[in-house]
Amino acid sequence: MVGRVNALGVHAYVWVERWSREDCRRAVWATAEAGFDLIEIPLLDPSSVDVDDTRQVLEEHGVQAACSLGLAAETDISSDDPAAVTAGRRLLDDALWATRQLGATMLTGVLYGRLGRYTEPLTTSGRTNAVATIRELCAAAAPEGITIGLEPVNRYETNGLNTAEQALRFIDDVGTDNLAVHLDTFHMNIEEADLASPVHACAERLGYVHLGESHRGALGTGTVDFPSFFAALAQAGYTGPITFESFSSAAAAPELSSTLCIWRESWTDAMAVARAATRFVHEQSAAAAARTG
Amino acid sequence: MVGRVNALGVHAYVWVERWSREDCRRAVWATAEAGFDLIEIPLLDPSSVDVDDTRQVLEEHGVQAACSLGLAAETDISSDDPAAVTAGRRLLDDALWATRQLGATMLTGVLYGRLGRYTEPLTTSGRTNAVATIRELCAAAAPEGITIGLEPVNRYETNGLNTAEQALRFIDDVGTDNLAVHLDTFHMNIEEADLASPVHACAERLGYVHLGESHRGALGTGTVDFPSFFAALAQAGYTGPITFESFSSAAAAPELSSTLCIWRESWTDAMAVARAATRFVHEQSAAAAARTG
């Protein structure tokens, strides 16, 4: 049953705006307290994370970690600018190092380009740069037992991978085994034909899941067709992490609100929205199991 | 029945990239040919539209017009910069003049601010500027029998009005009768709780409708819950225009792709996607009528 075999995760930004030693303690405690198995730790600036301290706090609370980031304009590996590609490769290496130090086995997100508004389509040479850089990253990650995830996001956040189909084609072009698709229901609701077929298209290449509501608020209060999504996960036998992601202007740092266009206060009580998310996942999983037998 | 009492419209960008005299002939002909009653003409640059010629072409084909635009950074009436507010007011006046010359009775869109990515939340003074400017525009439009529409759009395209509720509060603050909400299913799918409640919340203040699929491609090929939307329109007794809007990289001008982040080729045959849209509206309307009695 989905939800019993899967690690249930929560994005750190539900709890904290940054990742100081105090933020880390608060977030990891809250993750366990709300009933999650895993916390997704943003590595936008890997050097700012005290990895040894974080690893100790994770172990104290019996919480697993996954790591994620999105690249910036100056680290955009899908750029035609060699300096940006080089800087992006260096950032991804730093993130890979931090992922290993944290004892995590998944480094995912918008690793294939800039997380932000583009004003031009992706170029052929830019895509070639991204494929080559991700190939190098995967080669460095494989001996560490780390899987690299590619998260398709909506058109306003990338010109690269908007759909699972595009991510699968990218993975084919990279041609390594430790590269997986990371599906996010918020983005799927905008870019995909429905919430089930991308799960089936990915099949065993699905490696990570974000549960996000259509407006990025509490699960079950928007337009995302979660019953179809959970049924597809059950049918596909997905055993990877399922991570709750939500943003509210009440909790987001100004630079995050600016990057992700978080203008509304979806919620004010993080613990309440997180506990409701765990209940929601268990209900949806049970209903999907009952339907799919 | 919805679809029989409503004017069925199509956005000009389904047919053409710009609005030369030749574009006008091609688009108005195609609008009638595909079975639409109305064409939505963009007035991003009102002075570039040959209004007398366009009006004549519209009359020849028995096609009605609605007008729309979104403001730019330098004409952002929700800005704190008085120069931008003044320039925006001038652009809206020009658009109102063109709307009247075209014989249209609806000027709508993102008239309350810039259509584009913001990096900061809307300020209180910026909102006050927008309310005051829209009040002046409504006062100028009223004697002409023209209604002003406010289209809530998603978070990546405005920091102002993302939801019907916000639009209704804005209308309350403006305090005029010829100001209406313009709902767009593409944006509703991202920002609203569901596709029906905003229709009921607006009730008689709903003045214009865009039918857009979740990925802006062909209707019925994405995640938008159109059955709920059409049922709500029928229940609410909505009699205004219903306009099909779709974008494909095959048809969009580069600057439009850049503004709206159109990276994918959703379709290549505009006439086929437009005819399919008219069939879709008639089917959905009939089904809604059957359900609501």
Side-chain angles (χ1 to χ4, degrees):
Chain A
M1 183 174 120
V2 173
R4 215 168 275 170
V5 298
N6 307 88
L8 188 57
V10 59
H11 196 288
Y13 285 154
V14 170
W15 308 119
V16 292
E17 296 183 15
R18 292 182 180 81
W19 198 257
S20 68
R21 287 165 59 108
E22 195 197 312
D23 290 334
C24 165
R25 277 157 183 74
R26 191 150 62 88
V28 176
W29 169 83
T31 296
E33 176 71 15
F36 293 94
D37 310 303
L38 178 150
I39 185 165
E40 183 176 323
I41 302 175
L43 294 179
L44 294 160
D45 178 8
S47 66
S48 72
V49 174
D50 184 336
V51 287
D52 297 329
D53 181 66
T54 296
R55 184 166 187 158
Q56 196 183 316
V57 174
L58 288 166
E59 284 170 1
E60 276 167 25
H61 290 84
V63 169
Q64 305 165 47
C67 297
S68 65
L69 75 152
L71 300 176
E74 59 274 20
T75 52
D76 184 353
I77 64 167
S78 75
S79 163
D80 288 324
D81 172 10
V85 177
T86 302
R89 171 65 208 273
R90 204 174 303 129
L91 175 61
L92 290 171
D93 281 343
D94 290 349
L96 179 62
W97 181 85
T99 301
R100 191 192 59 178
Q101 295 305 105
L102 291 170
T105 58
M106 171 62 70
L107 172 60
T108 186
V110 183
L111 308 184
Y112 50 83
R114 177 182 165 218
L115 172 65
R117 173 81 159 237
Y118 282 89
T119 54
E120 302 282 338
L122 178 64
T123 63
T124 304
S125 54
R127 187 175 184 282
T128 301
N129 290 341
V131 167
T133 308
I134 294 293
R135 190 181 291 128
E136 292 167 4
L137 179 68
C138 288
E144 311 290 345
I146 292 172
T147 299
I148 302 301
L150 300 174
E151 182 183 13
V153 295
N154 74 65
R155 60 194 60 202
Y156 304 104
E157 299 192 344
T158 187
N159 63 0
L161 306 181
N162 297 133
T163 66
E165 192 197 322
Q166 292 173 323
L168 289 169
R169 242 184 290 144
F170 191 99
I171 290 175
D172 285 342
D173 291 349
V174 173
T176 53
D177 286 336
N178 63 327
L179 186 57
V181 182
H182 164 175
L183 290 178
D184 180 315
T185 55
F186 164 70
H187 298 292
M188 293 169 76
N189 190 53
I190 299 172
E191 300 294 347
E192 304 281 1
D194 58 69
L195 273 281
S197 54
V199 173
H200 297 305
C202 291
E204 75 283 357
R205 289 188 287 181
L206 179 60
Y208 199 76
V209 162
H210 271 169
L211 296 181
E213 191 44 281
S214 49
H215 45 54
R216 311 203 97 161
L219 299 182
T221 65
T223 67
V224 169
D225 181 8
F226 284 111
S228 291
F229 185 67
F230 276 89
L233 292 181
Q235 285 157 12
Y238 174 68
T239 57
I242 297 179
T243 295
F244 169 55
E245 187 176 51
S246 180
F247 301 99
S248 170
S249 59
E255 66 271 23
L256 185 73
S257 284
S258 170
T259 301
L260 299 181
C261 298
I262 309 299
W263 314 127
R264 284 192 285 159
E265 193 172 276
S266 311
W267 41 262
T268 52
D269 184 339
M271 186 55 80
V273 82
R275 284 192 204 275
T278 66
R279 283 196 301 275
F280 185 83
V281 172
H282 292 307
E283 286 162 12
Q284 291 285 329
S285 301
R291 278 197 305 275
T292 58
Chain B
M1 184 174 118
V2 173
R4 212 167 278 170
V5 297
N6 308 88
L8 189 56
V10 59
H11 196 288
Y13 285 154
V14 170
W15 309 119
V16 292
E17 296 183 13
R18 291 181 180 79
W19 199 256
S20 67
R21 287 166 60 109
E22 196 197 310
D23 291 334
C24 164
R25 276 158 183 75
R26 191 150 62 88
V28 175
W29 169 83
T31 297
E33 177 70 15
F36 293 93
D37 311 302
L38 177 149
I39 185 166
E40 182 176 323
I41 301 175
L43 296 179
L44 295 161
D45 178 8
S47 66
S48 73
V49 174
D50 184 336
V51 288
D52 296 330
D53 181 66
T54 296
R55 183 165 188 157
Q56 197 182 313
V57 175
L58 288 166
E59 283 169 2
E60 275 167 26
H61 289 85
V63 169
Q64 307 165 44
C67 297
S68 66
L69 76 152
L71 300 176
E74 60 274 19
T75 51
D76 184 352
I77 64 167
S78 75
S79 163
D80 287 325
D81 171 10
V85 176
T86 302
R89 172 64 208 274
R90 204 173 305 129
L91 175 60
L92 290 171
D93 281 344
D94 290 349
L96 180 63
W97 180 85
T99 301
R100 190 192 61 178
Q101 294 306 102
L102 291 169
T105 58
M106 170 63 69
L107 172 61
T108 186
V110 183
L111 308 184
Y112 52 82
R114 177 182 165 218
L115 174 64
R117 173 82 157 234
Y118 282 89
T119 54
E120 303 282 338
L122 178 64
T123 63
T124 305
S125 54
R127 189 176 184 281
T128 301
N129 290 341
V131 166
T133 307
I134 293 295
R135 190 181 291 127
E136 292 168 3
L137 179 67
C138 288
E144 310 290 345
I146 292 173
T147 299
I148 302 301
L150 300 175
E151 182 183 15
V153 295
N154 74 67
R155 60 194 61 201
Y156 304 103
E157 299 191 345
T158 187
N159 63 0
L161 306 181
N162 297 133
T163 66
E165 192 197 322
Q166 291 173 322
L168 289 169
R169 241 182 291 145
F170 191 100
I171 291 175
D172 285 342
D173 291 348
V174 172
T176 52
D177 286 336
N178 63 327
L179 186 57
V181 182
H182 164 175
L183 291 179
D184 179 314
T185 56
F186 164 71
H187 298 291
M188 293 169 76
N189 191 52
I190 300 173
E191 300 294 347
E192 304 281 2
D194 59 69
L195 273 282
S197 53
V199 173
H200 296 304
C202 291
E204 75 282 357
R205 289 188 286 181
L206 179 60
Y208 199 76
V209 162
H210 270 170
L211 296 181
E213 190 44 279
S214 48
H215 45 55
R216 312 202 97 159
L219 299 183
T221 66
T223 67
V224 168
D225 180 8
F226 284 112
S228 292
F229 185 67
F230 277 89
L233 292 180
Q235 284 157 11
Y238 174 68
T239 57
I242 296 179
T243 294
F244 170 55
E245 186 175 51
S246 181
F247 301 99
S248 170
S249 59
E255 67 270 22
L256 185 71
S257 284
S258 171
T259 301
L260 299 182
C261 298
I262 309 299
W263 314 126
R264 284 192 283 157
E265 194 171 275
S266 312
W267 42 263
T268 52
D269 183 340
M271 186 55 81
V273 82
R275 285 194 204 274
T278 64
R279 283 195 301 275
F280 185 83
V281 172
H282 291 306
E283 286 162 14
Q284 291 284 331
S285 302
R291 277 197 306 276
T292 58

